[in-house]
């Protein structure tokens, strides 16, 4: 790829259950009330998901990498540190505003549409079925990450509580 990454297409990657395995912290979502502080504070210990890691590194050959996560902005430092520890390609990181509780299928699609105004989005890789459906319906090329264990609690949290 040329040195001018501003013209390269974008490859957009989700983090949780796409690049990072959240299984060890699901227990925080099984409690009532849910322990969101515990859930997010455990994120730095997420093991990488080899399938997602390989795909982001492969995509970086031809694309500029963008990370699009439902994690709240207050998790930025931990998220950047985790990405660096995995030796992942540098890229802009888009996060949910701390008070934004809209489902990820809305927040992420808003950001994708904004990015698409000025750049080609070659692919979105995300594990959330509703995010993937919405992005496909909007005309984006999507690969649904199916390599992590599914969590019913996380699905509820993503859709009903707008937390991740």
């Amino acid at each position: 790829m040329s040195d001018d990454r501003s013209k390269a297409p974008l490859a957009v990657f989700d983090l949780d259950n796409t690049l990072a395995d959240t299984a060890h912290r699901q227990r925080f979502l099984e409690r009532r009330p849910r322990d969101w502080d515990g859930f997010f504070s455990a994120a730095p210990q997420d093991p990488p998901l080899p399938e997602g890691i390989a795909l982001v590194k492969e995509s970086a050959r031809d694309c500029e990498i963008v990370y699009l996560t439902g994690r709240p902005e207050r998790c930025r430092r931990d998220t950047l540190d985790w990405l660096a520890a995995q030796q992942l390609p540098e890229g802009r990181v888009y996060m949910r505003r701390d008070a934004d509780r809209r489902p990820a299928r809305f927040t992420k699609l808003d950001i994708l549409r904004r990015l698409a105004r000025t750049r080609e989005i070659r692919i979105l890789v995300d594990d959330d079925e509703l995010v993937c459906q919405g992005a496909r319906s909007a005309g984006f090329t999507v690969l649904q990450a199916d390599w992590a264990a599914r969590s019913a609690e996380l699905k509820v949290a993503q859709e009903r509580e707008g937390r991740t």
Side-chain angles (χ1 to χ4, degrees):
M1 184 167 68
S2 75
D3 290 348
D4 187 6
R5 290 178 100 47
S6 67
K7 294 187 181 2
L10 302 178
V12 181
F13 284 83
D14 173 45
L15 295 178
D16 293 340
N17 289 331
T18 299
L19 301 177
D21 187 349
T22 67
H24 72 102
R25 53 188 169 113
Q26 296 303 314
R27 68 185 188 278
F28 295 107
L29 301 182
E30 294 165 0
R31 302 175 183 170
R32 297 295 180 268
R34 297 184 201 279
D35 180 1
W36 289 105
D37 289 336
F39 180 77
F40 288 119
S41 68
Q45 288 76 49
D46 288 354
L49 289 164
E51 299 90 336
I53 298 298
L55 189 56
V56 74
K57 289 180 176 182
E58 178 184 324
S59 297
R61 292 185 204 148
D62 299 322
C63 297
E64 179 181 337
I65 301 300
V66 170
Y67 301 99
L68 176 57
T69 180
R71 293 179 184 183
E73 185 64 41
R74 70 180 180 275
C75 299
R76 180 169 291 276
R77 181 75 268 151
D78 285 345
T79 299
L80 294 175
D81 290 347
W82 187 90
L83 291 167
Q86 308 315 310
Q87 300 178 336
L88 291 175
E90 289 187 18
R92 289 173 287 165
V93 178
Y94 291 89
M95 303 181 85
R96 177 191 302 275
R97 291 184 318 273
D98 286 333
D100 188 347
R101 297 287 189 264
R102 293 176 297 151
R105 63 190 162 103
F106 298 123
T107 59
K108 289 183 176 183
L109 196 55
D110 286 350
I111 292 169
L112 285 171
R113 286 182 173 135
R114 196 171 13 154
L115 291 170
R117 287 185 206 141
T118 59
R119 298 286 288 281
E120 172 196 350
I121 297 179
R122 177 148 311 155
I123 193 164
L124 166 68
V125 183
D126 200 298
D127 70 304
D128 185 322
E129 181 180 338
L130 295 174
V131 168
C132 292
Q133 286 175 359
R136 277 191 197 101
S137 293
F140 294 101
T141 300
V142 176
L143 174 62
Q144 186 169 347
D146 61 1
W147 42 82
R150 299 277 174 225
S151 163
E153 294 295 333
L154 184 58
K155 185 173 183 174
V156 168
Q158 288 172 322
E159 186 54 28
R160 293 190 192 149
E161 297 178 27
R163 294 287 189 133
T164 184

